[in-house]
Amino acid sequence: MFVKEITVMNFENYFPVWNDLNTAQKKIISDNLITQYVKKGTIIHNGNLDCTGLLLVKSGQLRTYILSDEGREITLYRLFDMDMCLLSASCIIRSIQFEVTIEAEKDTDLWIIPAEIYKGIMKESAPVANYTNELMATRFSDVMWLIEQIMWKSLDKRVASFLLEETSIEGTNELKITHETIANHLGSHREVITRMLRYFQGEGLVKLSRGKITILDSKRLETLQRS
Amino acid sequence: MFVKEITVMNFENYFPVWNDLNTAQKKIISDNLITQYVKKGTIIHNGNLDCTGLLLVKSGQLRTYILSDEGREITLYRLFDMDMCLLSASCIIRSIQFEVTIEAEKDTDLWIIPAEIYKGIMKESAPVANYTNELMATRFSDVMWLIEQIMWKSLDKRVASFLLEETSIEGTNELKITHETIANHLGSHREVITRMLRYFQGEGLVKLSRGKITILDSKRLETLQRS
């Protein structure tokens, strides 16, 4: 009981519309809230095979991506501490007609509001429905940004952006990442990425070694990104 | 007065959550509803320069697209009779962080619910907020479909090839073939093929009718096939 109250108390701070819920709604969420720990690499949500529920990231990192029939990937966006994941509950909104995969990119602590519970509250609560709107608009905006990257930014800029983003996320200039992984993130091919990275190395922007990319000149990568 | 009542009565049939509104909400929408006729080629909404309001297409055709710095366009989706346009009121949802342009592709009759009016009702009405959610999810799905086409496409080329081959085989531009059959030929799903054919129809390449596909522009289908 004591542990549960602490959990719920914590959840209140993470869930922005908690104070807009009535007592019954608070109770039904508290009673059905699931806490879960997932190890790095776990696939949390897979297309429309499951409708897990709304995920709230307590700590860790999730990656949302789409997968082609041939197994190519494009990263849509990442979720970090305190971020809410709506697409893992895509069944609650009928008009969501696409499928994403969500994996834990780091060991992650989650809260899960089961889909049916959230759906029931969203149907009757304008604040929760409007909050859901804002969540979807945020992800929609992420995807619109991506489409512009793909269509109008040349690959050199996208690779530069990706490397800068990774150094910022990881907090280090030494990235342990394969060319294959970068290719998957950018919806490209390994050979194409390797070529670009070698070009960057030739320009003195990065240093390549086995399984590692060291950023040597982030200033010029930023210039390239903006060019 | 008489004319106004007819207009509002008509609007009721077009606006799916009308019956979920209370009397005050119905009155505020009726009192503020604008009807507008726009000529083909008119730019109705331009990035975040204006926040027109929610548009309901009575009859006509709108095109929503994004524009690069260099003036390149990508069509995101089209709106036809009875479709509702949310992104022309993007200011009502704070997290919409992208800009689109909307133009009338044909002479179009519209209803406009001013942004502030809609926003006020959405804040207090769960049905209206949830309806807005469904609208956004529909457009989000359109864009996700597009991103997959762009990245992995071939399907548009494959459908174009298939249609051209069939017209050549059958010796006619009027193909009596179901979407299901095309899907089977191409190892795809009926829903996917239907969506692509509707996209082709929006582009003026084909005309769809019950159990029939009429090729309108085989030149452009050939160009698409080769692209």
Side-chain angles (χ1 to χ4, degrees):
Chain A
M1 185 63 190
F2 182 64
V3 172
K4 179 148 200 182
E5 273 184 10
I6 285 180
T7 305
V8 174
M9 267 181 63
N10 252 318
F11 178 78
E12 295 176 17
N13 302 330
Y14 280 68
F15 190 59
V17 285
W18 181 261
N19 291 329
D20 294 310
L21 299 176
N22 64 32
T23 313
Q25 291 163 341
K26 282 179 183 167
K27 181 166 166 25
I28 198 171
I29 289 189
S30 304
D31 287 350
N32 290 281
L33 197 60
I34 298 163
T35 55
Q36 196 169 336
Y37 168 79
V38 285
K39 283 207 85 66
K40 177 178 170 172
T42 310
I43 301 294
I44 298 174
H45 176 81
N46 190 0
N48 60 3
L49 290 180
D50 46 13
C51 190
T52 322
L54 258 82
L55 309 178
L56 209 162
V57 179
K58 207 166 165 182
S59 66
Q61 188 173 313
L62 304 181
R63 180 171 77 100
T64 302
Y65 60 96
I66 49 174
L67 200 60
S68 75
D69 294 340
E70 298 83 35
R72 286 173 65 197
E73 298 177 359
I74 306 171
T75 298
L76 298 179
Y77 52 81
R78 288 188 167 99
L79 299 171
F80 304 97
D81 296 4
M82 300 194 66
D83 279 340
M84 180 69 92
C85 180
L86 176 65
L87 293 184
S88 52
S90 57
C91 65
I92 67 170
I93 296 166
R94 193 173 31 85
S95 309
I96 296 182
Q97 297 286 339
F98 55 94
E99 296 172 16
V100 298
T101 308
I102 302 167
E103 75 162 332
E105 236 177 0
K106 294 184 177 170
D107 293 353
T108 300
D109 274 308
L110 292 170
W111 277 297
I112 304 173
I113 310 175
E116 282 308 311
I117 299 295
Y118 192 85
K119 190 177 178 180
I121 293 175
M122 187 178 79
K123 282 277 166 265
E124 62 182 33
S125 161
V128 172
N130 280 301
Y131 168 66
T132 311
N133 251 322
E134 293 290 342
L135 276 183
M136 186 152 47
T138 306
R139 302 311 160 219
F140 195 173
S141 300
D142 288 339
V143 167
M144 287 301 297
W145 178 84
L146 183 67
I147 217 169
E148 293 180 3
Q149 297 300 309
I150 291 170
M151 293 303 288
W152 296 321
K153 262 203 182 179
S154 36
L155 187 68
D156 54 347
K157 297 179 192 175
R158 292 176 61 217
V159 174
S161 293
F162 179 82
L163 294 176
L164 289 168
E165 206 184 314
E166 284 295 306
T167 55
S168 155
I169 291 169
E170 300 296 333
T172 169
N173 279 336
E174 281 199 7
L175 302 175
K176 283 186 184 123
I177 194 165
T178 67
H179 302 182
E180 182 82 46
T181 305
I182 298 177
N184 284 340
H185 276 286
L186 301 178
S188 182
H189 297 283
R190 191 193 53 74
E191 300 84 333
V192 178
I193 297 299
T194 297
R195 190 164 199 149
M196 184 62 74
L197 288 170
R198 287 195 183 137
Y199 173 77
F200 282 2
Q201 183 167 253
E203 296 288 307
L205 300 171
V206 302
K207 183 176 174 301
L208 306 177
S209 45
R210 199 170 180 80
K212 207 168 70 182
I213 300 166
T214 309
I215 310 302
L216 299 179
D217 195 337
S218 53
K219 276 240 172 61
R220 276 173 59 213
L221 278 176
E222 276 162 29
T223 310
L224 175 59
Q225 180 192 213
R226 278 195 307 270
S227 67
Chain B
M1 185 61 189
F2 183 63
V3 172
K4 181 149 202 183
E5 271 182 13
I6 285 180
T7 305
V8 173
M9 267 181 64
N10 253 317
F11 178 79
E12 294 176 18
N13 302 330
Y14 279 68
F15 190 60
V17 285
W18 181 261
N19 290 329
D20 294 311
L21 299 176
N22 63 33
T23 313
Q25 290 163 342
K26 282 180 182 166
K27 182 169 168 18
I28 198 172
I29 288 189
S30 303
D31 288 350
N32 290 281
L33 196 61
I34 298 162
T35 55
Q36 196 168 338
Y37 168 79
V38 286
K39 282 208 85 64
K40 177 179 169 172
T42 310
I43 302 293
I44 298 174
H45 176 80
N46 190 1
N48 59 3
L49 290 179
D50 46 12
C51 190
T52 322
L54 258 81
L55 310 177
L56 209 162
V57 180
K58 208 166 164 181
S59 67
Q61 187 173 315
L62 305 181
R63 180 172 76 101
T64 303
Y65 59 97
I66 49 174
L67 202 58
S68 75
D69 296 339
E70 299 85 36
R72 286 172 62 198
E73 296 178 2
I74 306 171
T75 299
L76 298 179
Y77 52 83
R78 288 190 164 85
L79 299 171
F80 303 96
D81 296 4
M82 300 193 67
D83 278 342
M84 179 71 92
C85 180
L86 176 65
L87 293 183
S88 52
S90 57
C91 65
I92 68 171
I93 296 166
R94 194 174 28 86
S95 308
I96 295 182
Q97 298 285 340
F98 55 92
E99 296 171 16
V100 299
T101 308
I102 302 167
E103 75 162 331
E105 237 177 357
K106 294 183 177 169
D107 295 351
T108 300
D109 274 307
L110 292 170
W111 278 297
I112 305 174
I113 310 174
E116 282 309 311
I117 299 294
Y118 192 84
K119 188 177 180 180
I121 293 174
M122 188 178 77
K123 282 277 168 264
E124 60 182 32
S125 161
V128 173
N130 281 301
Y131 168 66
T132 312
N133 252 322
E134 294 289 343
L135 276 182
M136 186 152 48
T138 305
R139 303 311 160 221
F140 195 172
S141 300
D142 288 338
V143 167
M144 287 300 299
W145 178 83
L146 185 66
I147 218 170
E148 293 180 4
Q149 294 307 306
I150 292 170
M151 294 304 290
W152 298 320
K153 53 174 152 184
S154 58
L155 187 69
D156 55 343
K157 296 181 193 173
R158 292 172 61 215
V159 174
S161 294
F162 180 83
L163 294 175
L164 289 168
E165 209 183 312
E166 284 296 304
T167 56
S168 154
I169 291 169
E170 302 294 332
T172 170
N173 279 338
E174 284 197 4
L175 302 175
K176 282 185 186 126
I177 193 164
T178 66
H179 302 182
E180 182 81 49
T181 307
I182 299 178
N184 288 339
H185 276 287
L186 301 178
S188 182
H189 299 282
R190 190 194 52 77
E191 301 84 78
V192 178
I193 298 299
T194 296
R195 190 156 200 160
M196 181 64 75
L197 288 170
R198 286 196 185 136
Y199 183 78
F200 281 3
Q201 181 167 255
E203 294 287 319
L205 300 172
V206 303
K207 183 177 175 302
L208 304 177
S209 45
R210 201 169 176 80
K212 207 169 71 182
I213 301 165
T214 309
I215 310 302
L216 298 179
D217 195 336
S218 53
K219 276 241 171 60
R220 276 173 59 214
L221 278 177
E222 276 163 28
T223 311
L224 175 60
Q225 180 191 211
R226 277 195 310 268
S227 68

